[in-house]
Amino acid sequence: MAPQKLTEYERKRLENIRRNDEMMAALKIHSKASQLSAATKRQRIGPSKSHKLSPEKKKNTQTESPMVIRRSLRARGMPPDSGGLDMDSIETPIKIPTPISSPKPSPRVMGPLSMRDAYSGTGSDRELTGTILSLEKKTNVDSSIKKESDGFEAVKKEENGDFSHELVEGVIKSEYFDSEIKIEKKEIQSCVDLWSMDLKPENIARILPGRIMIVRFWPCTDVNMIVAGNKFGNIAFWNVDSKGKEEGDGIFLYRPHTAPVSGILFQKSCPKIFTSSYDGFLRLMDAEKDVFDLVYSSDDAIFSLSQRPNDMNGLYFGEGHGGLNIWDERTGKSSSHWILHEDRINSIDFNSQNPNIMATSSTDGTACLWDLRRVNADKPENLKIISHNRAVHSAYFSPSGSFLATTSVDDTVGILGGVNFEDLSMVYHNNQTGRWLSSFRAIWGWDDSYIFIGYMKRGVDVICRSRRTEILTLQSPHMSAIPCRFDAHPYNVGMLAGATSGGQVYIWTSS
């Protein structure tokens, strides 16, 4: 067979291969590669090649800690852990059974606590006690300012024997009220000019460390004083009229509790203050005796505190999961205890026209109306239920008692009115304060016209009751935080206090 004739390209290719082989041989590349390959094979061959564990190896693995696989509570079918949250931020849409008695690890002072020992401020608090004692005969004095009732005028009537209602000659007869209510057909103007409300720098102060849970005006006309409680159990007094003075600018700080303060209540006949707390204590501050006296103690938290307008000897407070306790000061005992809700009671309020009618709000997602004359201890029955999709943090009657406003985490403010409170409107409002802010609680102003609630962009939203919508937002360059809890001065119309989670208090005034 004749040799195949190579092309020019193939001849050059063979020539290049021959030249490369000569170069590799001169550099001894092939011998080096063979030695390296042999060394690698020797390392792989030996007793450690086996994948079987020796007896000694097995013994060591038994003493080692087992591998822990982290799984979320949701993946394990368990409820979320809220131990690190403040109790005011905890919402329980799923009912979790809790033990009947749970010991409290933190120590508590079981007895009277002197104001001197509870005082946490700088300097002396003698100026405060002197001011309080001077108000002994001035607290709750009659004001020259008459609160408007939004066109409602109360007249005398006899008791109805049933729960029926009828409209006769413009008068509603209702079991809800001890008196008939005459409906005026004319349009009633509000007693405050919202557009004249202003925030001045001298009416701003940081009076507490941490989150403010409740803020109140001292109910008198002689002095403008703020009383507030925070999440650490502190109670602060701010004498607004003493601004500019050298000694502490009128701010005095105490710590009578060891947990968040849930209620501040003023005694009408004397300058004494009841305070309640999540620590289960109900205390009475008596400036004359210089003491925070212990009135009541419980293993359960106290979440709310109130008092009927016609009963100065009874204290109503929400205790534990859905319980309402009525404490009689005269006997020093609990006169009644009812389970009204499936979860804690966040607010308690009474109707100004008929103090027998009570409103409660609860984390169980409802607000309820109750007739105290008809509450059965074994199975309490309410007059009306207002249902929300999530926790309800407040339910307050309007000044006239003709309307009710509820605030829920489901981003709504409920407004109820009409006969039997059957007229219900839900106003949208962003109530998502999160875990670092106190929950929003809408309050009424000085009449039935407007409702005030916090605004997440550092302001105060104003909801018009008649229009069922927001009409105005109070904002100021001096406001550096979000106001969450409010109080309207009971006598000085147009004076509104807003408290933040940073311990500040802002006071708006109207010209």
Side-chain angles (χ1 to χ4, degrees), residues 14-265:
L14 293 175
E15 181 65 22
N16 289 336
I17 292 174
R18 183 187 62 79
R19 191 185 309 118
N20 290 338
D21 289 340
E22 291 177 354
M23 186 182 299
M24 297 284 283
L27 297 175
K28 300 180 181 181
I29 297 297
H30 292 292
S31 61
K32 298 293 182 181
S34 300
Q35 294 176 4
L36 180 61
S37 177
T40 304
K41 290 182 180 181
R42 283 196 299 269
Q43 290 179 0
R44 293 180 179 179
I45 299 175
S48 61
K49 177 66 176 177
S50 175
H51 293 284
K52 294 183 179 180
L53 297 175
S54 62
E56 184 178 359
K57 185 73 173 179
K58 291 182 179 180
K59 183 177 180 180
N60 292 336
T61 57
Q62 291 178 357
T63 59
E64 293 179 354
S65 299
M67 181 180 295
V68 179
I69 301 177
R70 299 183 63 183
R71 298 176 60 196
S72 66
L73 294 176
R74 180 180 62 82
R76 286 182 280 171
M78 299 174 63
D81 180 15
S82 57
L85 297 177
D86 186 89
M87 295 186 71
D88 186 67
S89 305
I90 299 174
E91 179 187 345
T92 55
I94 302 176
K95 304 301 179 296
I96 304 172
T98 56
I100 298 177
S101 60
S102 55
K104 289 184 175 293
S106 58
R108 303 184 299 172
V109 179
M110 302 292 294
L113 180 65
S114 69
M115 292 180 61
R116 198 174 300 272
D117 293 337
Y119 187 58
S120 303
T122 58
S124 174
D125 64 341
R126 296 303 93 188
E127 179 185 347
L128 174 66
T129 55
T131 302
I132 294 176
L133 292 176
S134 68
L135 299 174
E136 183 173 359
K137 296 182 180 180
K138 299 178 181 179
T139 304
N140 198 36
V141 296
D142 293 334
S143 175
S144 59
I145 302 171
K146 181 181 179 181
K147 289 187 178 181
E148 297 289 341
S149 60
D150 198 32
F152 293 94
E153 180 182 356
V155 296
K156 188 177 181 180
K157 90 169 190 68
E158 296 180 357
E159 281 285 327
N160 279 337
D162 54 11
F163 194 65
S164 62
H165 304 264
E166 57 179 335
L167 180 62
V168 180
E169 297 181 355
V171 176
I172 296 178
K173 295 181 179 180
S174 170
E175 182 67 22
Y176 278 114
F177 305 99
D178 287 335
S179 60
E180 293 177 351
I181 306 172
K182 186 177 180 180
I183 301 178
E184 300 287 348
K185 296 183 179 180
K186 64 181 180 180
E187 184 71 17
I188 300 298
Q189 297 294 328
S190 172
C191 61
V192 62
D193 181 10
L194 294 177
W195 283 262
S196 69
M197 295 186 68
D198 185 29
L199 178 62
K200 299 178 180 179
E202 59 266 25
N203 290 335
I204 303 174
R206 186 185 299 273
I207 66 174
L208 281 168
R211 179 189 307 183
I212 295 180
M213 309 293 294
I214 186 169
V215 59
R216 290 286 184 268
F217 278 107
W218 194 290
C220 71
T221 57
D222 296 275
V223 61
N224 291 316
M225 184 180 294
I226 289 287
V227 184
N230 69 356
K231 64 175 291 185
F232 302 120
N234 294 108
I235 301 290
F237 295 81
W238 177 27
N239 188 345
V240 184
D241 296 333
S242 68
K243 53 182 174 287
K245 292 186 178 181
E246 296 181 0
E247 296 184 3
D249 291 333
I251 299 174
F252 304 90
L253 184 65
Y254 298 87
R255 193 168 188 262
H257 296 283
T258 59
V261 178
S262 58
I264 295 175
L265 189 64

Side-chain angles (χ1 to χ4, degrees), residues 88 262 278 301-306 316-325 337-349 358-364 366-368 370 392-395 441:
D88 186 67
S262 58
Y278 291 3
I302 298 177
F303 296 106
S304 51
L305 177 65
S306 187
Y316 294 72
F317 50 93
E319 180 181 4
H321 279 65
L324 177 76
N325 204 338
H337 185 274
W338 305 320
I339 302 298
L340 302 185
H341 287 273
E342 295 181 9
D343 213 321
R344 70 180 191 181
I345 298 176
N346 294 313
S347 70
I348 305 169
D349 197 26
M358 178 181 68
T360 57
S361 66
S362 173
T363 305
D364 65 10
T366 64
C368 296
W370 309 85
V392 184
H393 283 292
S394 66
R441 295 187 178 185

Side-chain angles (χ1 to χ4, degrees), residues 279-293:
D279 62 9
F281 282 175
L282 185 63
R283 291 191 179 274
L284 175 63
M285 175 186 166
D286 190 335
E288 186 175 2
K289 297 181 179 178
D290 196 36
V291 68
F292 284 95
D293 204 358

